[in-house]
Amino acid sequence: MTEQKIPKATAKRLPIYYRYLNILKDADKTRVSSTELSDAVKVDSATIRRDFSYFGALGKRGYGYDVESLLKFFKKILNQDKLTNAALIGVGNLGNALLNFNFHQNSNVRISAAFDVRPDLANTVQSGVPIYPMAELRKQLEDQQIKIVILTVPSSVAQDVTDEAIAGGVRGILNFTSLRLSVPKDVRVQNVDLTNELQTLIYFLDHYNDED
Amino acid sequence: MTEQKIPKATAKRLPIYYRYLNILKDADKTRVSSTELSDAVKVDSATIRRDFSYFGALGKRGYGYDVESLLKFFKKILNQDKLTNAALIGVGNLGNALLNFNFHQNSNVRISAAFDVRPDLANTVQSGVPIYPMAELRKQLEDQQIKIVILTVPSSVAQDVTDEAIAGGVRGILNFTSLRLSVPKDVRVQNVDLTNELQTLIYFLDHYNDED
DNA sequence: TTTTTATTGAAAATTATTTCACAAAATAGC
DNA sequence: GCTATTTTGTGAAATAATTTTCAATAAAAA
Ligand SMILES: NC(=O)c1ccc[n+]([C@@H]2O[C@H](COP(=O)([O-])OP(=O)(O)OC[C@H]3O[C@@H](n4cnc5c(N)ncnc54)[C@H](O)[C@@H]3O)[C@@H](O)[C@H]2O)c1
Ligand SMILES: NC(=O)c1ccc[n+]([C@@H]2O[C@H](COP(=O)([O-])OP(=O)(O)OC[C@H]3O[C@@H](n4cnc5c(N)ncnc54)[C@H](O)[C@@H]3O)[C@@H](O)[C@H]2O)c1
C-alpha cells in the first residue's frame, strides 16, 4: 500500500497544494511556478519543489508545472477521485456546525451518518444526514463500511465512544475533544484542539516577537 | 519579552501539559512522573522531560514533578493568570458553535465581542456576547484592546476582513477559512483547516499502514 | 540561430526535533 | 543509616525537515 514513504510534513501540505490547484484550474490557468504557488499557500518555494519531487519530476525546467496534470496527480494521491464516507458522533454545538458544512464542496468526503445519545435526535435527519441512536453505531459503521469518524462528543465519554467505533471497524478519527485517545497502533487519530490552538497563539504572541 | 527561545514544537505542547495538570490537580494528585504524563498526553516521556528542562529543573529526581508548582509555573508561562479577550468575526455556522462554547472553562480566554455583516444579527447578543456590525470592527477592537481574532467568515472575504482587523490592532488570528492569509510579519496566524485535516487523515490511512 | 531569462530537481548544508541511554540525585524500604 | 529503587536532566546520537545552491533544461527574446 505504501509506495515510498514521504515525510509527514510533506503529507500535511498536500491538501493545501491540492486546494490551490483547484482554484487555478477554475481560473483557467494552465501553468504555475513554485514561486507563484509559494505566494498563495505561504510555503517556501524550495520546500514546494522538494515536496513535489518525492513523487518524481512533475514539472518542466524553465516552465513550471502544468496545472491540469498536477491536479490530476494529486487528486489520485489524495484519494479524491473516489467518495469517502465519514460518520459524525455527537450532534451538539460543534457537531451541528460540521453537519451543516459542505465538506463535499472542496473535498470528496461527506458525512453519511451521524450518531447521538439524545433520544429526541435519534431517527431524525439534519442537513440531509440521518441521525442514529448510539445503539446502532457499530452496526451502521459496519454496514456502511465507514472507516472515518468525526468525534464531537463531550471529552468525558470520548474514550468509550472511540472504543466502540473501533470495534465497528473505524481506522481514522478526527478528534475534537480535549482527550488524547488511546487507540491500537493501526488506528490513526488527528487531533483538532481549539482551546490548545488559542493558547498556542497567545504563547507565540507573547514570546516570539515578529521573527517567525 | 522573549526570555530564551524554546523550540516551537515544545511551545505547541505546553497547553496539552497544562490541561492535564489541571485534571491531576482536580483529582487531588500531588505528584506526577514523566512516564505517567506520557501515558495521558501521548507524548514520549523523554520529550516531556526535555520540554520541561527548557524552563530549568522543575522536577526532583526519584520523585517526579510536583503538580501544584508545575501547574502554577505553566499558568504563568501560558498567560493563563490573566484574562485574554478575543473577538469572533463571522457569526455563521461555525462561528455560532464557537460562541456557544465556553473557552473560559478550561482556558483564560473568552470571546468578548463578535461581528457580522448580516443586519439582523447586528446589536443582538448571542450566548452573552454582543454582536456588532462590521462598520464598528475597527473601533471596537481598538476600544476593547482586543489583540486576537477568531476568523469564521467565508474564505472569499477573509483577506479583506483580516486587513481591517489588523488595522484595528490585532496581533493574532485563529483562521478557520481555507485561505492562507497575507499578514505583516509581526502578526501571527494559526490555521485550523478542517477539510485539510480530513484529507490528511485519509492520506495517512491509505499510505502509512500502522507504523507511526 | 544564438543569447538571455526563467525555472526545476537534486545534492549538500543547515537547522530543528526526537530519542537513547545513563550518571546523578532523591526517595522509599528495611 | 544503608541499600535498592525510582526518576530526573542532559549529552550525544539519530532522525526529520528546511534551506541553500547550482547545474541542467526549457522557453522567450534578440
Ligand atoms: N463547540 C466548540 O466550539 C468547541 C470548541 C473546542 C472544543 N470542543 C469540544 O468538542 C466537543 C463537542 O463540543 P460541543 O460544544 O459540540 O458539545 P455539546 O455538548 O454541544 O455536544 C455534545 C453532543 O454529544 C452528545 N453526546 C453526549 N454523550 C454522548 C455519547 N455517549 N455518545 C454519543 N453522543 C453523546 C450530546 O447529546 C451532544 O449532542 C467537546 O469535547 C468539546 O470539548 C468544542
Ligand atoms: N462550518 C464548518 O464546519 C466549517 C468547516 C471547515 C471550514 N469552514 C470554514 O469556516 C468559515 C465559516 O464557515 P461557516 O460554515 O460558519 O460559514 P457561514 O456561511 O455559515 O458563516 C459565515 C458568516 O460570515 C458572515 N459574513 C459574510 N461576509 C462577511 C464579512 N465581509 N464580514 C463579516 N462577516 C461576514 C456571514 O453573514 C455568516 O454569518 C468558512 O470560511 C468555511 O470555509 C467551516
Side-chain angles (χ1 to χ4, degrees):
Chain A
M1 194 142 285
T2 312
E3 308 95 7
Q4 75 286 16
K5 203 91 78 358
I6 63 165
K8 276 192 287 174
T10 295
K12 289 189 191 156
R13 284 187 292 263
L14 299 182
I16 308 178
Y17 302 143
Y18 180 67
R19 169 147 39 208
Y20 191 67
L21 287 170
N22 272 304
I23 291 174
L24 287 175
K25 168 129 186 272
D26 289 347
D28 288 319
K29 292 262 192 151
T30 57
R31 58 184 276 195
V32 66
S33 70
S34 58
T35 354
E36 194 187 338
L37 259 174
S38 173
D39 276 353
V41 302
K42 319 291 179 206
V43 172
D44 186 86
S45 69
T47 302
I48 292 178
R49 292 200 299 280
R50 163 63 107 205
D51 283 349
F52 287 5
S53 77
Y54 289 113
F55 301 102
L58 303 177
K60 264 203 274 212
R61 294 170 189 224
Y63 176 87
Y65 301 88
D66 177 69
V67 171
E68 181 104 25
S69 59
L70 202 54
L71 188 59
K72 206 184 288 181
F73 185 81
F74 279 124
K75 179 175 272 178
K76 187 147 212 163
I77 283 283
L78 288 173
N79 237 308
Q80 294 294 302
D81 50 352
K82 32 184 174 312
L83 181 66
T84 302
N85 287 323
L88 183 139
I89 312 184
V91 188
N93 243 320
L94 188 54
N96 251 304
L98 296 172
L99 270 191
N100 279 314
F101 184 68
N102 189 5
F103 282 102
H104 197 248
Q105 190 156 48
N106 42 21
S107 80
N108 220 337
V109 179
R110 62 159 198 181
I111 299 175
S112 63
F115 300 86
D116 203 292
V117 271
R118 281 176 53 190
D120 58 318
L121 289 176
N123 306 310
T124 64
V125 173
Q126 293 275 322
S127 322
V129 180
I131 306 184
Y132 300 95
M134 285 303 285
E136 285 187 37
L137 178 62
R138 201 156 155 181
K139 178 178 169 14
Q140 286 295 335
L141 292 175
E142 284 166 359
D143 286 359
Q144 300 191 39
Q145 298 262 335
I146 293 174
K147 298 293 170 216
I148 289 186
V149 151
I150 300 173
L151 194 65
T152 48
V153 296
S155 299
S156 51
V157 301
Q159 187 62 59
D160 286 349
V161 170
T162 296
D163 294 345
E164 183 71 8
I166 291 172
V170 159
R171 302 279 326 283
I173 298 173
L174 190 59
N175 175 33
F176 284 87
T177 79
S178 59
L179 197 76
R180 297 297 156 135
L181 304 168
S182 297
V183 297
K185 75 178 186 336
D186 63 340
V187 173
R188 178 159 221 97
V189 179
Q190 194 94 359
N191 294 302
V192 179
D193 191 326
L194 304 180
T195 306
N196 264 16
E197 299 284 348
L198 264 181
Q199 290 183 331
T200 302
L201 181 59
I202 293 171
Y203 183 87
F204 278 125
L205 287 189
D206 291 344
H207 297 267
Y208 292 64
N209 268 333
D210 70 282
E211 16 68 49
D212 190 313
Chain B
M1 195 144 284
T2 313
E3 308 96 7
Q4 76 285 15
K5 205 90 79 359
I6 62 164
K8 277 193 287 174
T10 296
K12 289 187 191 157
R13 285 188 291 264
L14 299 181
I16 309 176
Y17 302 143
Y18 180 66
R19 171 147 38 208
Y20 192 67
L21 287 170
N22 272 304
I23 291 174
L24 288 175
K25 169 129 186 271
D26 289 348
D28 288 319
K29 291 262 192 149
T30 57
R31 58 184 277 193
V32 66
S33 70
S34 59
T35 354
E36 193 187 338
L37 259 174
S38 174
D39 277 351
V41 301
K42 320 289 180 208
V43 172
D44 185 86
S45 69
T47 302
I48 293 178
R49 292 199 299 279
R50 170 75 73 200
D51 283 348
F52 288 4
S53 78
Y54 290 113
F55 301 102
L58 303 177
K60 265 203 272 210
R61 292 166 191 226
Y63 176 88
Y65 300 88
D66 178 69
V67 172
E68 181 104 24
S69 58
L70 201 55
L71 188 59
K72 205 185 287 181
F73 185 81
F74 280 123
K75 178 174 271 177
K76 186 147 212 161
I77 285 282
L78 289 172
N79 238 308
Q80 294 294 303
D81 50 351
K82 29 184 175 317
L83 181 67
T84 302
N85 286 323
L88 183 139
I89 312 184
V91 188
N93 242 320
L94 187 56
N96 251 303
L98 296 172
L99 269 191
N100 279 315
F101 185 68
N102 190 6
F103 283 101
H104 197 247
Q105 190 156 48
N106 42 20
S107 80
N108 221 337
V109 179
R110 62 158 197 181
I111 299 176
S112 64
F115 301 87
D116 203 292
V117 271
R118 281 176 53 190
D120 58 316
L121 289 175
N123 305 310
T124 64
V125 173
Q126 293 274 323
S127 324
V129 181
I131 306 184
Y132 301 96
M134 285 302 285
E136 283 187 39
L137 179 62
R138 199 155 156 183
K139 178 177 168 16
Q140 285 295 337
L141 292 176
E142 282 167 359
D143 286 0
Q144 298 190 41
Q145 299 262 336
I146 293 174
K147 298 293 169 216
I148 289 186
V149 152
I150 299 172
L151 194 65
T152 48
V153 296
S155 299
S156 52
V157 300
Q159 187 63 59
D160 286 349
V161 170
T162 297
D163 294 345
E164 184 71 8
I166 291 173
V170 160
R171 301 280 326 284
I173 298 174
L174 191 58
N175 176 33
F176 284 87
T177 79
S178 58
L179 197 77
R180 296 297 156 136
L181 305 168
S182 297
V183 297
K185 73 178 189 334
D186 64 339
V187 172
R188 176 154 224 110
V189 179
Q190 194 94 0
N191 294 302
V192 179
D193 191 326
L194 304 181
T195 305
N196 264 14
E197 299 284 348
L198 264 180
Q199 291 184 330
T200 302
L201 181 59
I202 292 171
Y203 183 86
F204 277 125
L205 288 189
D206 291 343
H207 298 266
Y208 293 64
N209 268 334
D210 68 282
E211 17 68 49
D212 191 319

